[in-house]
Amino acid sequence: MSHVVVIEDEGTVRDVLRFHLERAGLRVTALDSTHGALEQLAEADALVLDWMLPGESGLGFLRRLRGDTELRRLPVLMLTARAAEAERVEGLESGADDYLTKPFSAAELVARVRALLRRSLPDTPPALTNGPLTVDLIAAEARVGDRRLALTRREFDLLGFLTQHTGRVYSRTELLDRVWGADFLGGERTVDQHITQLRAHLGDDPSKPDFLETVRGKGYRMRPWTNP
């Protein structure tokens, strides 16, 4: 699932943005200022950024973002009430990839964000593999060999995330944050339940797993495939 960060100080607008982007199947982290935003953007696929923000303006933050070697290529949609051509040009020349003027329609918002995400797809593998396991991020489909796995959306997201980071151990808290999102109110037991369900789908033996391994005291990881 693609992760979109929204930075918008107006609570009502922020809630609308989150609602429509999540409804479109995207994972959303919504912030009311640029404070601490760089840490969130490290795992983001796109940014929806309001021009007028308290403290540092969206335009100033965008310029700072484009000077960051790790984040300079992050797709950015600038969102603002400024409709004058000169201001739109200023936003684009400061590094915005696209520009949406308030008020906006939900359909146009989602279409523009999806367009930004598609532009970044060449750097994203269309399918992840680990031995016989294939996770197709575009089709949102997972298979073991020729057998298609009937996964829920959250099961697919968790499997895709762990497969994308094969070999790396993630704690339950990290998985809740990366897959469910920082605003999720459930507990760590949710992760355990989803791992159990995924193992059933994969045909994985918990005592000797081919795929999803429990690392005692640390969390879970996708094991690199070693079976012949």
Side-chain angles (χ1 to χ4, degrees):
M1 177 191 297
S2 296
H3 178 204
V4 179
V5 172
V6 171
I7 306 179
E8 164 63 63
D9 64 313
E10 295 183 38
T12 301
V13 177
R14 188 168 61 250
D15 290 344
V16 168
L17 291 166
R18 179 203 294 276
F19 174 80
H20 288 295
L21 293 174
E22 287 184 340
R23 189 178 184 184
L26 304 171
R27 182 163 72 90
V28 180
T29 297
L31 308 173
D32 60 6
S33 74
T34 62
H35 181 69
L38 290 179
E39 290 79 2
Q40 297 289 342
L41 291 173
E43 296 293 330
D45 299 299
L47 169 64
V48 177
L49 178 65
D50 187 32
W51 183 308
M52 299 296 292
L53 292 168
E56 182 180 29
S57 72
L59 196 63
F61 180 73
L62 177 59
R63 289 170 176 154
R64 184 156 62 94
L65 188 70
R66 291 311 186 212
D68 187 300
T69 56
E70 298 295 324
L71 297 172
R72 63 193 313 165
R73 297 186 183 278
L74 181 71
V76 177
L77 172 65
M78 181 69 77
L79 184 66
T80 180
R82 296 171 178 261
E85 180 182 3
E87 291 166 336
R88 293 200 303 271
V89 170
E90 183 181 7
L92 294 170
E93 289 185 344
S94 295
D97 297 281
D98 201 356
Y99 196 101
L100 186 60
T101 304
K102 300 176 185 177
F104 54 85
S105 73
E108 184 177 10
L109 165 72
V110 171
R112 287 178 181 269
V113 170
R114 282 179 169 162
L116 289 184
L117 292 169
R118 283 196 299 271
R119 292 177 201 173
S120 64
L121 283 179
D123 296 326
T124 304
L128 306 169
T129 59
N130 185 36
L133 172 64
T134 300
V135 181
D136 189 324
L137 301 177
I138 307 301
E141 181 178 280
R143 293 178 177 273
V144 175
D146 294 329
R147 179 170 61 89
R148 183 177 181 275
L149 307 184
L151 305 179
T152 66
R153 169 182 152 186
R154 196 69 77 183
E155 289 168 351
F156 178 83
D157 292 342
L158 179 58
L159 181 64
F161 179 80
L162 289 171
T163 307
Q164 190 170 11
H165 302 280
T166 293
R168 178 171 172 179
V169 179
Y170 285 92
S171 69
R172 293 168 176 82
T173 300
E174 288 175 320
L175 290 172
L176 283 173
D177 183 54
R178 302 291 184 87
V179 178
W180 278 261
D183 296 329
F184 179 69
L185 300 179
E188 295 182 359
R189 180 61 180 157
T190 299
V191 177
D192 298 333
Q193 292 169 345
H194 279 72
I195 291 290
T196 297
Q197 291 159 199
L198 280 176
R199 282 174 171 158
H201 287 297
L202 293 165
D204 230 356
D205 180 354
S207 63
K208 193 177 180 182
D210 290 326
F211 299 107
L212 298 177
E213 180 180 15
T214 301
V215 181
R216 187 177 297 276
K218 294 185 178 180
Y220 298 105
R221 73 165 184 155
M222 173 66 70
R223 294 183 70 250
W225 181 258
T226 56
N227 288 8

